[in-house]
Amino acid sequence: MWIVNHAADRVVLVNGSLLPLLAPLLPHLPTVEHVVVTGPGDRSLLDGAAPRVHEYEELIAGRPTAYDWPELDERTAAAMCYTSGTTGDPKGVVYSHRSIYLHSMQVNMTESMGLTDKDTSLVVVPQFHVNAWGLPHATFMSGINMLMPDRFLQPAPLAEMIEREKPTHAAAVPTIWQGLLAEVTAHPRDLSSMRQVTIGGAACPPSLMEAYDRLGVRLCHAWGMTETSPLGTMAHPPHGLTAEEEWPYRVTQGRFPAGVEARLVGPGGEHLPWDGESAGELEVRGTWIAGAYYNGVDGEPLRPEDKFSADGWLKTGDVGVISPDGYLTLTDRAKDVIKSGGEWISSVELENALMAHPAVAEAAVVAVPDEKWGERPLATVVLKEGATADYETLRAFLADEGGIAKWQLPERWAIVPAVPKTSVGKFDKKVIRRQYAEGELDVTQL
Ligand code: ADP
């Protein structure tokens, strides 16, 4: 509702299965003039709705199949998406015909997803998440088959679909691959048709990559944002390395393609070297990188200072290092970093180390207020079905196996039935922080 009103949408295309969700919202969407419905679903839910309701099939019936395309300036707006709102209100990004075209070419290049007309790409990503990561356009451009799971995003139907349809490529956020792994561990399926999987949207735990390696499926880590169309980096190791030598490259977020320029900026605004050690905020610019937000953010201007530098680079809000050979390693989102006694603790590093424990299915770490240190980490852990582990053991595992420094080890712990997720399947740390503040979590302090 927030997004439709902010974008002032006039037409909504909706699948009939979603009418129970849309119908109660319509009275609160004053700009919507038309609703176009496709697929099965109870139309009577829209009775009395103010906007005009159309059947998609009726709208297109009898129309000529050829269309006299207008000559548009390539820089005019072609599509919009909103950020998924992981850290605050969603922000609107407009893509031009030009940016989509150039981005699609990059997606299909060998050093990105390397798709050809011999591939079938399983797009698990929902359409509203960065234009389904640009894949509908990229696959169309190269005549690649595209598979979409509709509402059946749960691990069991996904596993069945992969075994049956044999996609060669797939794209989804890490939580989808975590869920699928648990499913195929319990009920083995053949996933080996997928020669390559693009995983991004949130940091991929290295333990997840290892587990899929054992299933013969290679996960390739990618970083991007709604503001970057989204392709920003992909983690293909340099040529000619052994599997062991490739590993340190595969667990990075990857390298920037030619169309994306990047720099790291320190707290004082200084530009940092690509030495693999100097950590700063990542800034990017390029032909498919947004230069402003649609209608601003929370009534602020289109290019708020905390989102764009004075010279026009996008401030990503992501913190990390870049190696001399150009590989980006993100340590955290600036808003999720735990600021403890003047030092920074990476929530992602703690999560990755925890998720490598055999009893842990998922783990999310957030900053919580602490009288002495300002902030300290709270570890919330989901155990695998039937598994047990006590907090002392997990803490010792972080130090001994995860290599986490003693002062960074969490003292606050909670076992939870599930990590709350955003609409696109990312860990929703806003919700965990609120649950903690309101005393909803059963926290043990060691
Ligand atoms: P939101 O900012 O609301 O989550 P997006 O879906 O556009 O909206 O997410 C972009 C953000 O997702 C990035 O700024 C980054 O923090 C995170 N992200 C995307 N890919 C990765 C990755 N491979 N590793 C770590 N973080 C990632």
Side-chain angles (χ1 to χ4, degrees):
M1 190 165 87
W2 192 97
I3 291 175
V4 173
N5 285 331
H6 187 266
D9 288 332
R10 292 171 55 204
V11 181
V12 174
L13 271 140
V14 61
N15 189 277
S17 63
L18 294 172
L19 291 178
L21 293 175
L22 178 70
L25 298 182
L26 278 176
H28 309 287
L29 307 175
T31 60
V32 174
E33 297 163 26
H34 303 273
V35 177
V36 182
V37 191
T38 69
D42 181 3
R43 272 43 175 186
S44 71
L45 291 167
L46 297 179
D47 285 352
R52 289 184 56 196
V53 179
H54 311 266
E55 284 294 331
Y56 175 73
E57 292 299 334
E58 283 171 21
L59 272 187
I60 59 167
R63 302 258 168 166
T65 46
Y67 179 67
D68 201 7
W69 292 98
E71 281 284 328
L72 294 175
D73 184 323
E74 63 175 358
R75 291 179 190 269
T76 49
M80 277 185 79
C81 274
Y82 276 72
T83 62
S84 51
T86 309
T87 57
D89 278 340
K91 299 182 278 295
V93 174
V94 179
Y95 307 111
S96 65
H97 295 271
R98 175 185 160 82
S99 74
I100 291 177
Y101 194 91
L102 293 170
H103 179 260
S104 303
M105 292 210 292
Q106 183 61 50
V107 167
N108 288 341
M109 296 230 327
T110 320
E111 76 270 34
S112 298
M113 298 187 200
L115 304 176
T116 73
D117 62 355
K118 293 174 191 60
D119 283 301
T120 298
S121 178
L122 170 65
V123 183
V124 188
V125 188
Q127 293 289 313
F128 60 83
H129 194 201
V130 209
N131 276 330
W133 292 2
L135 281 159
H137 294 111
T139 51
F140 181 70
M141 183 179 249
S142 296
I144 299 151
N145 289 319
M146 188 169 65
L147 274 176
M148 285 176 291
D150 192 1
R151 287 148 282 157
F152 308 106
L153 298 169
Q154 307 76 11
L158 259 189
E160 206 228 298
M161 188 183 197
I162 294 168
E163 196 172 55
R164 193 181 60 236
E165 303 292 340
K166 305 205 176 343
T168 55
H169 171 258
V173 293
T175 52
I176 294 278
W177 300 113
Q178 289 276 16
L180 190 72
L181 180 65
E183 168 67 26
V184 298
T185 308
H187 310 283
R189 295 273 191 174
D190 181 10
L191 307 182
S192 63
S193 65
M194 294 190 293
R195 72 175 164 77
Q196 198 209 127
V197 164
T198 309
I199 181 165
C204 172
S207 53
L208 189 65
M209 238 178 245
E210 275 171 328
Y212 274 94
D213 275 359
R214 288 193 289 274
L215 296 174
V217 175
R218 189 172 167 112
L219 303 189
C220 184
H221 205 189
W223 165 85
M225 307 170 68
T226 306
E227 293 88 331
T228 66
S229 295
L231 195 72
T233 60
M234 278 199 73
H236 294 295
H239 175 68
L241 302 184
T242 63
E244 204 179 322
E245 290 163 341
E246 282 189 337
W247 185 249
Y249 289 99
R250 290 181 59 199
V251 295
T252 68
Q253 268 70 16
R255 261 198 295 212
F256 303 92
V260 179
E261 279 183 276
R263 67 187 187 191
L264 284 178
V265 179
E270 70 282 16
H271 294 170
L272 301 173
W274 292 17
D275 57 9
E277 283 172 15
S278 308
E281 181 175 2
L282 174 68
E283 294 189 358
V284 289
R285 68 173 180 185
T287 45
W288 55 83
I289 312 276
Y293 288 110
Y294 180 76
N295 264 350
V297 184
D298 288 341
E300 286 175 28
L302 309 183
R303 297 165 62 95
E305 260 174 42
D306 61 330
K307 306 282 189 259
F308 292 94
S309 69
D311 54 350
W313 292 60
L314 171 72
K315 298 183 179 181
T316 64
D318 289 322
V319 178
V321 300
I322 303 177
S323 64
D325 50 0
Y327 282 80
L328 167 75
T329 300
L330 292 180
T331 42
D332 226 328
R333 295 175 83 121
K335 287 190 177 167
D336 291 336
V337 168
I338 302 148
K339 300 177 186 85
S340 175
E343 299 285 341
W344 284 13
I345 303 175
S346 157
S347 64
V348 173
E349 198 180 335
L350 289 173
E351 287 162 5
N352 284 348
L354 269 172
M355 285 192 265
H357 189 281
V360 175
E362 274 183 344
V365 178
V366 296
V368 295
D370 182 274
E371 259 181 32
K372 185 161 174 207
W373 301 106
E375 287 179 356
R376 289 296 297 160
L378 159 73
T380 60
V381 177
V382 181
L383 294 176
K384 285 187 186 157
E385 227 179 293
T388 52
D390 60 60
Y391 297 135
E392 292 290 358
T393 310
L394 292 176
R395 197 174 138 98
F397 179 83
L398 283 183
D400 300 342
E401 303 294 324
I404 305 288
K406 202 162 163 247
W407 66 272
Q408 301 188 342
L409 297 174
E411 39 290 303
R412 293 174 181 82
W413 293 79
I415 302 269
V416 291
V419 175
K421 313 260 170 29
T422 67
S423 61
V424 300
K426 302 189 191 196
F427 289 170
D428 199 336
K429 297 192 176 183
K430 289 191 305 296
V431 172
I432 304 174
R433 283 190 281 262
R434 183 191 53 71
Q435 287 173 334
Y436 178 79
E438 293 175 6
E440 286 172 21
L441 296 174
D442 182 13
V443 176
T444 298
Q445 188 146 357
L446 302 183

